[in-house]
């Protein structure tokens, strides 16, 4: 039973696992998208999302805490600069994992992990106010009245028009 065992050990000792996650984190921050195994991608997401949250508030303390995990000045600059600006209004869920099939050599399941806000293919327009399409709803309303008019051929009087005509009489 695996009660309370939160992290995947990835068949490595603690120091090796820490170094692996640090290197994957630095590569992801610098390149915005990396290909790795599914298990490593899931472990990386758990490792790096709290660091991205810390990157949203640019304080000296947060920079030092994140630097203790990453050990790379260029990654820190990138995380507290462009990445923090893009994810500023997002309340979590900064990364996306896409399965890409199986590796030919050993059959390991591969995945691509990427930042959600840096992929323009999947980013939905309207989140930031540009090109916002109105969301369609299934409730009745103006469409129902116009549909009745089209089927019956007679003009449809709204309640406001009926009230106005009754007041004139």
């Amino acid at each position: 039973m695996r009660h309370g065992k939160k992290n995947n050990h990835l068949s490595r000792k603690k120091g090796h696992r820490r170094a692996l996650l640090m290197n994957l984190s630095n590569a992801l921050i610098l390149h915005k998208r990396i290909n790795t195994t599914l298990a490593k991608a899931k472990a990386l997401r758990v490792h790096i999302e709290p660091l991205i949250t810390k990157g949203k508030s640019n304080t000296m303390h947060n920079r030092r805490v994140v630097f203790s995990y990453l050990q790379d000045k260029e990654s820190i600059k990138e995380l507290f600069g462009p990445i923090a600006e893009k994810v500023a209004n997002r309340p979590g869920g900064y990364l996306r994992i896409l399965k890409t099939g199986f590796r030919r050599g050993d059959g390991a399941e591969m995945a691509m992990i990427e930042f959600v806000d840096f992929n323009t293919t999947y980013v939905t327009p309207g989140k930031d106010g540009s090109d916002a399409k109105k969301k369609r709803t299934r409730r009745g309303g103006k469409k129902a009245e116009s549909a009745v008019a089209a089927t019956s051929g007679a003009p449809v009087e709204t309640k406001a028009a009926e009230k106005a005509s009754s007041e004139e009489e």
Side-chain angles (χ1 to χ4, degrees):
M1 288 187 286
R2 54 173 307 278
H3 295 301
K5 295 182 181 175
K6 189 174 181 180
N7 58 343
N8 187 347
H9 294 293
L10 300 173
S11 299
R12 289 163 171 83
K13 302 224 173 175
K14 183 179 179 181
H16 189 186
R17 188 169 55 249
R18 241 182 110 179
L20 170 76
L21 291 173
M22 178 178 65
N23 290 331
L24 287 173
S25 300
N26 288 330
L28 180 63
I29 289 170
L30 294 177
H31 300 292
K32 310 298 184 278
R33 171 186 303 160
I34 58 173
N35 291 311
T36 184
T37 63
L38 182 63
K40 287 178 188 173
K42 287 181 178 180
L44 178 61
R45 181 174 54 186
V46 171
H47 175 76
I48 201 171
E49 286 212 350
L51 301 181
I52 298 168
T53 303
K54 287 188 187 307
K56 287 165 60 171
S57 63
N58 190 1
T59 63
M60 182 61 71
H61 176 69
N62 283 345
R63 280 182 172 265
R64 287 179 174 172
V65 168
V66 173
F67 184 77
S68 71
Y69 283 94
L70 298 180
Q71 298 290 314
D72 184 26
K73 288 182 182 178
E74 294 303 316
S75 295
I76 299 296
K77 287 178 190 173
E78 189 74 18
L79 180 63
F80 283 87
I83 294 175
E85 291 172 10
K86 286 261 190 167
V87 302
N89 57 357
R90 181 177 287 276
Y94 312 111
L95 302 174
R96 174 188 296 126
I97 297 176
L98 300 169
K99 295 179 182 179
T100 58
F102 296 93
R103 189 161 51 198
R104 186 173 180 158
D106 61 354
E109 192 168 6
M110 299 299 288
M112 178 176 63
I113 184 168
E114 64 183 1
F115 280 95
V116 172
D117 295 317
F118 282 90
N119 188 341
T120 57
T121 306
Y122 289 112
V123 174
T124 57
K127 296 279 184 181
D128 56 346
S130 62
D131 293 338
K133 280 190 172 180
K134 187 174 180 181
K135 185 176 178 182
R136 293 183 62 189
T137 60
R138 296 192 52 136
R139 297 187 178 181
K142 293 180 184 176
K143 289 182 184 177
E145 291 175 359
S146 62
V148 171
T151 57
S152 66
V156 176
E157 288 189 347
T158 60
K159 290 184 179 180
E162 290 174 356
K163 189 175 182 181
S165 64
S166 66
E167 288 177 4
E168 290 174 355
E169 294 174 2

